[in-house]
Amino acid sequence: MDDQVENNSKEKIMKLSILDQSPVILGKHPEEILKNSIELAQWAEHLNYESILFSEHHGVPGYASSSPEILAAVVLAKTQKIKVGTAGIMLRNYSAYKVAGTAKLLASIFPGRFVLGLGKAPGGLKMSSLALNSDKLPTVSTITEKLQDIVGYLSDDTSSTQERYGDLIAQPQHLHQKPEVWWLGSGKNSAKEAAKNGLSYSYSHFLIDERENENTNIYKNEFLPGAITKTPHLQIALSVSVAEDYKMALRNAYSMAYQFLEARRGLAPTPLIHPDEVEERISAPEDTIEFQKVLKNIIIATPDTIGQQLSEIAAFYKTNNLIILNNVYDKDYRFKNYEWIINSVQ
């Protein structure tokens, strides 16, 4: 099955996308951060990025956006050619019918440009899950059913929902072009779900401690052609920090790494803090050890080394499709990072 995958980075130009979590910077108003997300999307379009996808978080002070589909709609209206979407809409919080209707509407208004990224993470801590689900903790047991339903609604096929909802359709019908649908995850079950439902798979490399391709190989080998896509498409999600010299790139990564550390500890990530403050907070030996483990998940590079590192990762996973997360404290550095990154592979 490998030869069917979007995998030949030697023969194809690298496809680079941006994962934007709308990270809040300590001292900055969230409204300013959301404006930065719009500006980043316009910058990404200028740089010829493939797409920009927005994440969903609830009750988390460190991230400004809770509705990626709304932010995507705004950005689609303010750009011309770049693909824009969600990374992702968290299915445990919503009905398949609502998600599909929203996706069809955006795909109809912006044909060929809306990307529907879906995931099963809660997008927040327990209280936000309760608030989103009318005081009932959601389960992941219906995720596969929801995925099947979404594919059916997008394809105007009621066979998967006939027994429950009869001939109910999700409008607008008869899309000229279905949206891309990506399933987000890093585990074996996520790989199997994407493969079983014939969806593209975005693998969250930045969430794992070691580079391994067991789960991505499961996806490729078990992929079943579906109504959305006939061949497997694999994307690798990376966290990256680039600067003029390695020491500065490493230091810039501290703020992002500290948010990752908070998440690993089961805390809601707080706004990005200056690297100096990060150093103060991780002064204890046990904190330093844990922090260094998280830091290893971030690609640290200079403009003249980042291209090679990205190429090595693409070759390892046998794909030419990468999506980049860059949550550094300094906005100018963040925007410059994406320029350095895309210039390195052109």
Side-chain angles (χ1 to χ4, degrees):
M1 186 72 75
D2 283 10
D3 59 343
Q4 293 180 335
V5 186
E6 259 188 328
N7 66 357
N8 214 328
S9 55
K10 293 182 179 179
E11 295 180 1
K12 296 183 180 180
I13 297 174
M14 190 87 75
K15 288 185 177 181
L16 291 182
S17 297
I18 292 175
L19 171 57
D20 183 18
Q21 296 179 325
S22 300
V24 177
I25 301 169
L26 187 65
K28 302 293 184 181
H29 196 284
E31 289 180 2
E32 181 180 347
I33 301 305
L34 292 172
K35 290 178 181 177
N36 287 348
S37 286
I38 297 171
E39 185 181 345
L40 177 61
Q42 293 168 328
W43 179 235
E45 181 171 66
H46 171 74
L47 295 173
N48 290 318
Y49 271 85
E50 177 82 4
S51 65
I52 182 166
L53 307 180
F54 301 108
S55 65
E56 173 185 331
H57 293 92
H58 301 279
V60 179
Y63 308 117
S65 175
S66 59
S67 300
E69 70 279 18
I70 294 179
L71 186 53
V74 172
V75 169
L76 282 162
K78 290 180 176 289
T79 53
Q80 300 296 320
K81 60 181 181 179
I82 190 172
K83 294 179 182 178
V84 183
T86 63
I89 294 177
M90 299 295 105
L91 280 191
R92 67 171 68 193
N93 297 326
Y94 311 104
S95 74
Y97 191 61
K98 175 60 177 176
V99 173
T102 299
K104 293 185 81 171
L105 182 64
L106 290 172
S108 178
I109 297 172
F110 303 99
R113 292 186 59 209
F114 177 66
V115 179
L116 178 62
L118 303 168
K120 63 181 177 182
L125 301 184
K126 181 179 179 180
M127 289 301 103
S128 62
S129 293
L130 284 170
L132 284 163
N133 290 274
S134 302
D135 299 325
K136 297 178 182 178
L137 281 177
T139 67
V140 298
S141 59
T142 60
I143 291 296
T144 294
E145 182 179 75
K146 285 185 178 183
L147 284 174
Q148 292 172 345
D149 289 354
I150 288 173
V151 171
Y153 288 134
L154 292 177
S155 307
D156 298 321
D157 178 4
T158 62
S159 59
S160 67
T161 57
Q162 182 74 36
E163 186 175 330
R164 286 167 290 150
Y165 307 122
D167 293 326
L168 179 68
I169 57 94
Q171 73 269 21
Q173 286 184 281
H174 313 304
L175 296 179
H176 291 301
Q177 190 170 350
K178 297 184 186 72
E180 294 180 22
V181 183
W182 292 83
W183 184 237
L184 284 57
S186 59
K188 183 180 296 184
N189 288 338
S190 294
K192 288 179 173 291
E193 287 159 351
K196 178 182 177 180
N197 290 281
L199 302 177
S200 301
Y201 183 44
S202 184
Y203 179 68
S204 302
H205 171 91
F206 70 94
L207 295 179
I208 64 174
D209 292 327
E210 300 292 338
R211 187 187 302 183
E212 59 87 16
N213 56 14
E214 177 185 0
N215 295 328
T216 57
N217 283 338
I218 288 173
Y219 166 69
K220 299 174 195 176
N221 294 330
E222 298 186 11
F223 180 87
L224 299 175
I228 303 298
T229 184
K230 303 302 181 185
T231 57
H233 299 274
L234 175 64
Q235 180 184 71
I236 306 299
L238 309 169
S239 53
V240 178
S241 177
V242 184
E244 296 91 335
D245 60 77
Y246 182 86
K247 185 176 180 180
M248 179 60 74
L250 177 63
R251 186 170 180 77
N252 284 345
Y254 280 12
S255 305
M256 176 166 43
Y258 191 76
Q259 281 190 331
F260 291 162
L261 179 62
E262 290 177 309
R264 283 198 174 203
R265 290 174 170 176
L267 305 172
T270 53
L272 293 170
I273 58 177
H274 193 278
D276 289 347
E277 186 170 348
V278 174
E279 287 187 330
E280 293 177 8
R281 294 190 184 186
I282 60 168
S283 57
E286 60 272 19
D287 291 334
T288 301
I289 293 172
E290 193 176 3
F291 181 74
Q292 290 299 324
K293 288 182 180 179
V294 175
L295 200 59
K296 286 182 179 179
N297 289 357
I298 301 174
I299 297 171
I300 312 297
T302 58
D304 61 338
T305 63
I306 183 60
Q308 180 61 31
Q309 292 194 55
L310 295 181
S311 294
E312 289 174 358
I313 291 173
F316 179 82
Y317 286 107
K318 296 184 174 65
T319 182
N320 68 313
N321 196 324
L322 306 177
I323 184 167
I324 310 296
L325 173 68
N326 177 261
N327 290 353
V328 299
Y329 179 84
D330 185 276
K331 175 193 170 185
D332 291 338
Y333 255 117
R334 186 169 182 237
F335 278 51
K336 189 64 177 177
N337 259 249
Y338 287 116
E339 182 180 0
W340 280 324
I341 289 167
I342 199 162
N343 286 343
S344 73
V345 300
Q346 290 180 340

